[in-house]
Amino acid sequence: LNLAPSDHSPTTMPTPTSSLLPLPLLTLLLLASFAASFTPFRPSPLAFAPPRSSLAPYRWSTAMPATEDAMPTHADSLSTEVLEELLSVAVASGKAAGDLIVSYGGGAEVTKVKANARDLLTEVDPLCEKIIREAVSAAFPDHAILGEEDVPPGKEASAAALDEMLRNPKSDYMWIVDPIDGTTNFVHGLPMCMPSIAVAYRGVVVVGCIYDPHRRECFTAMRGRGAHLNGTPIFVGEQETAADAIVAMGSPPAAESLEMSLRGVKLLMPRVRTIRMLGSAALMLAWVACGRLTCYWEYDLSSWDVAAGALLIEEAGGRFTDLEGTAYALRVRKIMASNGKVHKEVLDILNTAGVV
């Protein structure tokens, strides 16, 4: 729209006549011209971390095809642009939640016990989940979100919540969120607690982010694009045998899981280099992905505990299965994560111990 006067235009403004454009229409044309030439700013997916107060106004285009027929049918077919936009929101919201965790560096009071006295909840857990939920909903209002704090305690409830979302999906995309993985560590001021965020597309995890706010380490993965720590590629360790392996495991609150852990540790401890229990599944999975740990197993975990870490390990060259060696899927609760080279050996030891 060119509003400059012509060479034959009078030097004074004409008296309004019916031949001139009405003001509202002129305004609309101006706005249309501006929109047609406007190129939106796209933040770097790893570097962008808006402050908590500014998360809500941000919107990212999902860059999805316009028609259902054009939608990719498999997770591996998603474009890098789409994955980066998902990851940028995961990173930004994870860092915002992590900042809140660090602000309670001395620990937090327990507001509720969940399954039992060893399964804790603080006032900060729902606040961190709220930060993440608001960021996701602002950027992708149609996406589904499965968050730990909205599900009743107990493995039956968490399995049922996941199953319901997989059977009756409200969206092709599902965000799987643990706002503070390692709540007991958090309560006692131990700097091993963090958000874990995954995005699944049609039931397959395609993006994962684990942000350790205490060390400012951001572990990220996109399906088919590798795993990274603060933007640098990471890979699993090179240990060839269980004897050289640093094996991580949990100290679970549920009675059955605790019994299986005791069985496993009794046979594992004499046959591996050492065993570590760090109190955060997300941290142990991230450390397997970057080679600090060789292997991590757990008898029963929920999807939000492991979804992001599972993708990290696979993209870092490792292996992630259930305790029978079957490939990981979202419904898997008994997990084994490793560098791949010691996987079968450690599984055999656990099976000999009666961990089934």
Side-chain angles (χ1 to χ4, degrees), residues 138-307:
F140 307 108
D142 297 329
H143 288 194
I145 304 174
L146 176 63
E148 179 180 10
E149 304 315 321
D150 284 342
V151 178
K155 68 178 184 180
E156 294 82 6
S158 64
L162 173 65
D163 192 63
E164 173 63 23
M165 296 191 78
L166 291 175
R167 287 179 180 273
N168 301 294
K170 298 178 181 179
S171 167
D172 283 333
Y173 292 90
M174 175 171 60
W175 292 68
I176 305 164
V177 176
D178 190 344
I180 305 181
D181 187 79
T183 299
T184 300
N185 287 347
F186 177 58
V187 167
H188 292 274
L190 297 174
M192 292 179 287
C193 46
M194 60 208 64
S196 178
I197 304 170
V199 187
Y201 173 73
R202 297 186 177 179
V204 178
V205 179
V206 294
V207 162
C209 173
I210 295 173
Y211 177 59
D212 180 352
H214 309 284
R215 282 160 282 274
R216 296 191 177 277
E217 292 187 332
C218 189
F219 297 86
T220 58
M222 298 187 296
R223 181 162 294 278
R225 277 77 170 175
H228 297 80
L229 168 54
N230 292 343
T232 300
I234 55 174
F235 304 94
V236 294
E238 295 292 335
Q239 294 77 23
E240 298 279 351
T241 66
D244 294 327
I246 299 179
V247 176
M249 55 182 291
S251 175
E256 182 184 20
S257 299
L258 179 58
E259 170 61 26
M260 293 298 173
S261 294
L262 292 174
R263 290 185 190 182
V265 74
K266 185 176 181 179
L267 264 67
L268 276 172
M269 189 167 282
R271 300 179 62 177
V272 302
R273 175 160 292 166
T274 190
I275 287 180
R276 293 289 182 264
M277 297 180 183
L278 304 180
S280 167
L283 181 66
M284 290 183 277
L285 291 169
W287 283 12
V288 171
C290 70
R292 295 171 187 170
L293 298 172
T294 315
C295 178
Y296 167 52
W297 74 278
E298 193 92 44
Y299 188 75
D300 185 67
L301 289 173
S302 296
S303 57
W304 45 73
D305 296 313
V306 301

Side-chain angles (χ1 to χ4, degrees), residues 319-329 332 334 336 343 347:
R319 189 178 176 196
F320 200 105
T321 71
D322 66 11
L323 292 178
E324 295 179 350
T326 303
Y328 171 75
V332 168
K334 303 175 183 181
M336 165 69 78
H343 202 89
L347 272 182

